[in-house]
Amino acid sequence: MVLNALIVDDEEYSRKSLYFLLQENCPEVTVGAIAKSVAEARSLVGEQQFHLVFLDIAMPKENGFELLPTLQRNNIMVIFTTAYDQYALKALKAEAVDYLLKPIDIVELKTAVSKAVDWARLIAQKDPEPERDEVAKKDDKTSRKISIPSTHGFNVIDTDEIIYLEADSNYTNFHLKNGEKVTISKPLKEFEDSLTDVNFIRIHKSVIVNFRYVQGYSNKNGLQVFLTNDVNLPVSRRRSSDFLDRAKQYFNR
């Protein structure tokens, strides 16, 4: 499958750089047009059929997010390309395929294009929704009780009260909404298995987070998740793709 793409960026160097990166590294993409502004992009979308837009965010007069309604009406996928990392969560909520920081890394670009191709294949299928519905049903189970052992018995905790879990050798620290930290003499892996049907994801070999408390994500200074309790946690590169995919499902359901 070959995707017809539109590049939207007000900087000439960025437009040319991305065009050549795609030409040299992404045979799944054909650049059908290049726009210098949101207004020009709207006009092109009205004239041509595009599958994918590489969209800058910070541009004069109108920013990239103001083009989204036009793209969504035309079922056009979006990969954001920007020099700023503070828009990452908003991009995920906008159902972007990916969010690439400039200067664009070739490996990350190829990964983003691969995601777009997979997404396009799903859209092209006659009925791609059942699989997504199953994901939504699993994610709808946003809260339940789990029991964790204590010195004299056990405690019952609502999963909604857990901000994140952190491995500490063969122990696990539960960081709770009320600020309390509960340490359990069991490894993190045991709790990962029991939390697969609620909104938790392992972002690192030693950390599981609850999406309910994620307020931002950045790959500017290493991959990080920002939580509502002012804690920043690292996301391993191996788990970053899965995190972004799950984040899109969570924030857009």
Side-chain angles (χ1 to χ4, degrees):
M1 175 176 286
V2 178
L3 304 178
N4 188 35
L6 168 65
I7 295 174
V8 185
D9 199 308
D10 64 307
E11 297 177 349
E12 183 178 4
Y13 173 80
S14 295
R15 294 193 299 269
K16 289 182 176 179
S17 175
L18 179 55
Y19 175 81
F20 286 115
L21 283 176
L22 290 168
Q23 289 288 100
E24 293 295 321
N25 300 281
C26 302
E28 311 95 328
V29 171
T30 298
V31 178
I34 298 176
K36 302 175 185 177
S37 66
V38 168
E40 186 179 356
R42 281 199 194 94
S43 178
L44 287 167
V45 168
E47 297 168 0
Q48 298 185 44
Q49 181 179 7
F50 297 102
H51 304 104
L52 175 64
V53 171
F54 292 89
L55 182 59
D56 188 22
I57 295 177
M59 292 183 284
K61 295 184 179 179
E62 294 180 280
N63 66 45
F65 289 111
E66 293 176 89
L67 181 62
L68 290 180
T70 299
L71 301 182
Q72 290 165 351
R73 283 196 300 272
N74 289 275
N75 297 316
I76 300 173
M77 298 176 290
V78 178
I79 294 175
F80 283 105
T81 57
T82 178
Y84 306 97
D85 67 332
Q86 66 263 36
Y87 302 111
L89 187 58
K90 188 174 180 180
L92 289 176
K93 290 182 177 180
E95 295 188 328
V97 173
D98 214 331
Y99 185 92
L100 303 178
L101 280 179
K102 300 175 184 176
I104 293 174
D105 179 82
I106 294 174
V107 174
E108 292 180 358
L109 175 63
K110 292 171 74 172
T111 298
V113 167
S114 179
K115 288 181 186 177
V117 170
D118 290 342
W119 200 334
R121 285 187 178 131
L122 281 175
I123 294 171
Q125 290 175 4
K126 214 170 187 181
D127 186 15
E129 292 304 311
E131 182 180 347
R132 295 181 65 184
D133 287 345
E134 288 304 312
V135 172
K137 286 176 184 176
K138 290 183 74 175
D139 282 349
D140 277 344
K141 298 178 182 179
T142 57
S143 176
R144 65 177 176 83
K145 309 287 186 180
I146 62 170
S147 62
I148 56 177
S150 65
T151 305
H152 302 291
F154 64 90
N155 294 320
V156 176
I157 297 179
D158 191 318
T159 58
D160 278 353
E161 300 300 308
I162 304 169
I163 298 178
Y164 70 101
L165 296 79
E166 178 184 32
D168 183 6
S169 187
N170 289 323
Y171 294 81
T172 298
N173 296 321
F174 281 69
H175 296 266
L176 305 181
K177 181 181 177 181
N178 63 7
E180 185 180 358
K181 182 175 81 171
V182 179
T183 300
I184 307 301
S185 58
K186 284 187 176 184
L188 187 66
K189 175 64 177 174
E190 292 199 24
F191 298 106
E192 180 183 23
D193 293 341
S194 66
L195 292 170
T196 55
D197 64 341
V198 288
N199 295 315
F200 288 80
I201 185 169
R202 194 162 188 164
I203 62 170
H204 190 276
K205 65 180 180 180
S206 60
V207 177
I208 295 174
V209 299
N210 185 346
F211 272 119
R212 178 179 288 269
Y213 299 99
V214 172
Q215 66 175 4
Y217 170 84
S218 171
N219 58 5
K220 184 176 182 180
N221 297 309
L223 305 172
Q224 294 185 81
V225 165
F226 309 132
L227 302 181
T228 56
N229 63 342
D230 295 324
V231 170
N232 300 346
L233 297 171
V235 181
S236 69
R237 290 197 173 276
R238 186 169 69 87
R239 298 179 185 273
S240 62
S241 179
D242 184 43
F243 170 79
L244 288 170
D245 289 342
R246 285 283 308 280
K248 278 186 280 192
Q249 293 171 3
Y250 179 83
F251 290 114
N252 290 288
R253 63 189 180 176

